[in-house]
Amino acid sequence: MQITPGSNKSRKVLRRTDLNSPYPDSVSKDYIIDHKWNLVITHYDGNKYHVSVSTMSGQELPSRQAITYISQLGLFPHRERYMLYTAGTKVVHFDITE
């Protein structure tokens, strides 16, 4: 398993997104997992997380097994189950409240 930070370009976009967020403490980080998945984690409002997972190709939805695998890497709070949604795209989203 290889975890690498996202590109400089994506970090700049996320910084701008955080600055325009309604939550002043919003911090977003992005990662590339095993050269296969893109992962964006936004931590906000003290104890909340928004997580987005997509494939590098952007052509398919990440599988349930991929979400389980990524959730066990320790990058965000692990839960047995997540309420997944796609909002009509090839990106899987879910929210976590600690």
Side-chain angles (χ1 to χ4, degrees), residues 8-96:
N8 286 334
K9 182 178 179 181
S10 66
R11 280 194 296 271
K12 287 178 185 177
V13 169
L14 291 175
R15 254 186 254 124
R16 274 189 257 126
T17 302
D18 289 340
L19 287 173
N20 293 319
S21 170
Y23 300 97
D25 63 343
S26 175
V27 177
S28 298
K29 296 181 181 179
D30 64 323
Y31 303 93
I32 299 170
I33 312 294
D34 289 343
H35 301 290
K36 187 169 184 178
W37 300 289
N38 288 318
L39 171 66
V40 176
I41 305 166
T42 302
H43 185 217
Y44 64 98
D45 203 21
N47 65 341
K48 297 178 183 175
Y49 296 82
H50 177 81
V51 181
S52 302
V53 182
S54 63
T55 60
M56 291 293 288
S57 69
Q59 300 298 311
E60 59 188 300
L61 280 170
S63 67
R64 184 170 280 170
Q65 291 90 354
I67 301 297
T68 300
Y69 170 76
I70 291 168
S71 73
Q72 295 171 350
L73 297 176
L75 299 171
F76 54 86
H78 175 71
R79 300 287 186 267
E80 287 299 314
R81 295 190 174 114
Y82 300 101
M83 178 65 74
L84 305 177
Y85 61 95
T86 63
T89 65
K90 301 284 185 187
V91 180
V92 173
H93 303 273
F94 54 95
D95 298 298
I96 303 167

